[in-house]
Structure formats: structure tokens, C-alpha cells
Amino acid sequence: MHIDEPGAPQRGHVLLIAGDAAVRRRAVQVAPSANVAAVAAVPSAVLLGSQVPSDTTYLDGARDPHTVLLRLRAAAATSGPLLVYLSGRLTLDRRGRHLHLALAGTTASSVRYTAFPWEWLGTELRARSAGLTTVVLDLVADKSAWPVLQEYGSLPGSPSAEVYGVVVPPAFAGGHDGVSPYTRHWVEQLRRGPHRPGNVQVHAFAVGAAALPPGTLVLPATRALSAQPAQSQSQSQSAEDPRPHIHALASGGRHEEAAALARAWEQHALRACGPGSSEAAHWAEIRADLARMAGDYRLATRLWIRAGTTRLERHAPDAPEVLAAGAGALYCWTQLKDQAAAREAGPELLRLLGALPSLEPRLLHLTQQRLQALDSVAGRH
């Protein structure tokens, strides 16, 4: 029975795929088997956010991309909610310049024959109805794939699926062979309470807590987690949305131009809608993510804190918009290498995080510990 046929019985599916491990200088950067095992330990009803009957397929150690394709095709044919989780090493077919998920035994010379073409994922999920499909990724890009990802500024997916996850750059040292930080915190968020958080909330806090390496590709970008289309007056009159153009400038390395354009739109939102408006907060979030892309974590932290404080005035403390801003502020603050800047922003960050009742207590405790350490160092000088 076709998944969209009226009267089709609802049944969900969880598909967990462990690709090849990513290793740098003999240190494991991502251990897909450990990640998939951690996700598999979560009940399927929690993973899917649904009580419909469901099936689970666990693929670990596959060597044939067509085996993965058949499992994906069967999962995509399910009539109900579908979660696809993929972990492993993203690599490139250098001849065709196509991205692939490396499978067991994949080498640089055998990518075309032994790795799973990334475009197959989007192709197989394309026919599914919107709102039924979630894809979660915990990947490391190798040296061949990373430049292509930087060109894209994202990772191609299917428009019918919600895609969440991270792609870590090839340069970080790794040093563990257990569950990677993003997946670990993602699982912890799902298992925390009697009520399953929304995907946006789970992803936002996993990103904020994972202390990801600089340059990590976050999907979607933090600015997009809470982004509803900005309803400024000019946009409500058929004017062109400037955000794709701004993002394209930043992705192309033209950070000053992107920042200047975003500041202009923020000023317009402030004049048109007021400093406490959702529109003004939204543009502060965009500016925060542009600052992150440019490596200016000091400005990014300050803007995320400001956006979160503004959001708190209009939304409940556990609203996705507030939680996403808190996660963005926390992540950027952890990336600050300038101790004076981190010490300066710390108290405001603590006030914001302290206002979020669903925040994992350990995150608040770790933030307090770091701020105390920074104050201690400053007191000795």
C-alpha cells in the first residue's frame, strides 16, 4: 500500500546506520557503532515521538551500498513516522565530486563502489509526506569532503525531511572511541523526562552542550532553530527576503558585507516593530550566527544573550525560541578563548540560563565552574 493512500495503516520505522569510523593519527574521531548502540537503547516510541507500532532496522558494518539502499527504501515506504540516524565518515568520490557515507572497508580509491552516495538519501525520502520524516546526523567529514561542504554551506538533504545534526571538520584530534558528544547529549535529552522534548529543543541543547570543534557544520544552523519568517513591514508588502542573500555572502567569506546588511535589517526591525519585538530578536539571532561563522564568538555570545533575554519577555521559559537562544549563547561562550571576554559575558549568560527551568542542571553547574575559574585567574593578576 502506498504511504499516501487513504486508509493506510499507521506504522513507524527507525533506521539506524553506522558507517565507517573516522580516525585521525590513530585517534578515533567518531565511533559509529557506539553511537548507533546508544540511540538503539532509546525506546522507538521516544525516538519517533509517537505511540504507533514501529519497526527498527540496525545496520552496522555494512560493506555494500546497495544493502543500505534496500534498507532505506523499505524504511521510506513505511506509512507512519520515520527516523533515520546516520553516523560515520563523510567522504568524496574525487572523480565525480559526489559526497558519500563511507562504509566498512571504504578507501579513497574505492569510494564509488563501496560507499553510500549521499544523494540516494534524498532520493529515497523525496516521496514521503512532509512532517513524517526526521534525519539525525553525527558525521565527520574527511579532507576530501570538507572543502565541498564549505562550498555548499550545508549538507544536501530532502525537502520532505527535517534534518538535524553536526558534521565535524577533519582537523580536530578526536581522542575517544565511545559515544560522540552530540549523540550523547541528544540521547540524554530524549531520556530526561516523562515528556519527549521537540526535535528543535533536543538538537539545540545537544549542540550547546557538546563543545563542538570550531568550524563544525551545524544542521540546521543555530539561527534557523527558532526562525519564523521575519514579518517586518517591508516583507509583508512582496519585498524580497534578504536572508538567503546574507547567508550566501557569509558562506562565501564576505563576512563584513553580510554583517553590515544584517545590521541594517535589524535597525529596520527595531524602528518598525520595537526593541522588544520578535522581529528584532530574530535579526539579533541572525547577526549572532553570522558572528559565529566569522569566528567572532565574543559578539556572537553577546547577541545570543540579548536575543534570549528579549525572547523571554514574550515567550515561556521552555519555548523553543528561548531554548535555542540559550543553547546558542552557551555554545559560543564555550568557544571564547579570550578569558576577559568570557568573564565579562559570564554573569549575563548565567542569568539567562538560570531562567530556563528545563535546562540540564549540569550545564548550569559547568558554566558556574568556568566563570569561577576565570574570576580566580583574574584575581591573581
Side-chain angles (χ1 to χ4, degrees):
M1 186 176 287
H2 190 273
I3 59 174
D4 291 325
E5 183 178 335
Q10 281 284 301
R11 191 169 187 88
H13 200 106
V14 175
L15 176 59
L16 309 176
I17 301 174
D20 191 28
V23 180
R24 181 173 185 265
R25 296 177 181 174
R26 299 184 181 179
V28 176
Q29 295 176 296
V30 64
S33 297
N35 285 346
V36 165
V39 176
V42 180
S44 59
V46 176
L47 291 174
L48 294 172
S50 172
Q51 296 298 321
V52 301
S54 63
D55 305 296
T56 299
T57 301
Y58 184 110
L59 277 179
D60 188 2
R63 291 179 174 269
D64 181 1
H66 289 92
T67 298
V68 180
L69 176 62
L70 289 175
R71 299 297 188 187
L72 175 62
R73 186 168 293 166
T78 191
S79 59
L82 169 65
L83 172 76
V84 180
Y85 173 88
L86 302 100
S87 181
R89 174 170 61 91
L90 203 62
T91 190
L92 189 73
D93 161 22
R94 296 181 183 178
R95 183 175 176 181
R97 289 182 61 79
H98 295 142
L99 293 169
H100 289 66
L101 178 69
L103 301 179
T106 295
T107 64
S109 60
S110 69
V111 171
R112 296 177 63 201
Y113 313 103
T114 62
F116 180 78
W118 194 257
E119 62 186 19
W120 288 3
L121 179 66
T123 299
E124 295 303 319
L125 298 180
R126 188 175 298 145
R128 289 183 54 80
S129 299
L132 286 177
T133 310
T134 303
V135 177
V136 178
L137 312 171
D138 196 335
L139 305 169
V140 171
D142 66 16
K143 290 182 179 180
S144 67
W146 187 246
V148 174
L149 285 178
Q150 290 183 305
E151 290 176 17
Y152 291 161
S154 185
L155 185 61
S158 171
S160 66
E162 294 181 23
V163 181
Y164 302 96
V166 294
V167 185
V168 175
F172 87 105
H176 62 81
D177 57 1
V179 181
S180 59
Y182 174 80
T183 293
R184 183 174 72 252
H185 289 290
W186 190 79
V187 167
E188 285 177 359
Q189 286 295 317
L190 285 179
R191 301 178 71 97
R192 281 193 64 214
H195 303 292
R196 185 195 190 281
N199 289 332
V200 169
Q201 180 180 347
V202 174
H203 173 67
F205 274 105
V207 169
L212 300 168
T216 296
L217 178 64
V218 177
L219 305 166
T222 320
R223 66 176 174 83
L225 296 178
S226 62
Q228 301 296 325
Q231 299 297 319
S232 64
Q233 288 184 354
S234 62
Q235 285 173 311
S236 65
Q237 297 168 1
S238 318
E240 183 181 357
D241 185 350
R243 291 171 296 172
H245 177 57
I246 291 172
H247 187 265
L249 287 173
S251 299
R254 298 163 65 179
H255 298 293
E256 292 185 4
E257 295 175 65
L261 191 54
R263 281 195 302 271
W265 276 91
E266 182 187 35
Q267 289 302 312
H268 174 79
L270 288 169
R271 290 191 301 269
C273 307
S277 64
S278 296
E279 291 79 7
H282 175 61
W283 280 103
E285 292 160 353
I286 290 176
R287 288 186 59 210
D289 200 57
L290 291 174
R292 178 195 63 79
M293 293 174 70
D296 188 349
Y297 289 104
R298 180 177 188 173
L299 177 60
T301 300
R302 190 166 73 244
L303 288 168
W304 274 121
I305 291 173
R306 192 177 85 193
T309 303
T310 301
R311 293 286 190 186
L312 270 173
E313 295 175 357
R314 304 176 70 93
H315 300 279
D318 59 351
E321 298 88 346
V322 178
L323 296 173
L330 177 59
Y331 169 72
C332 292
W333 187 72
T334 63
Q335 302 306 303
L336 269 174
K337 305 304 180 188
D338 184 331
Q339 293 188 352
R343 191 171 66 253
E344 178 187 6
E348 282 188 281
L349 176 64
L350 279 176
R351 281 194 289 274
L352 174 61
L353 298 182
L356 310 181
S358 57
L359 179 73
E360 185 178 349
R362 186 175 62 85
L363 297 180
L364 188 61
H365 179 64
L366 290 174
T367 304
Q368 291 170 329
Q369 280 188 325
R370 186 190 181 203
L371 185 56
Q372 288 169 0
L374 291 168
D375 288 337
S376 177
V377 170
R380 293 199 295 267
H381 291 286

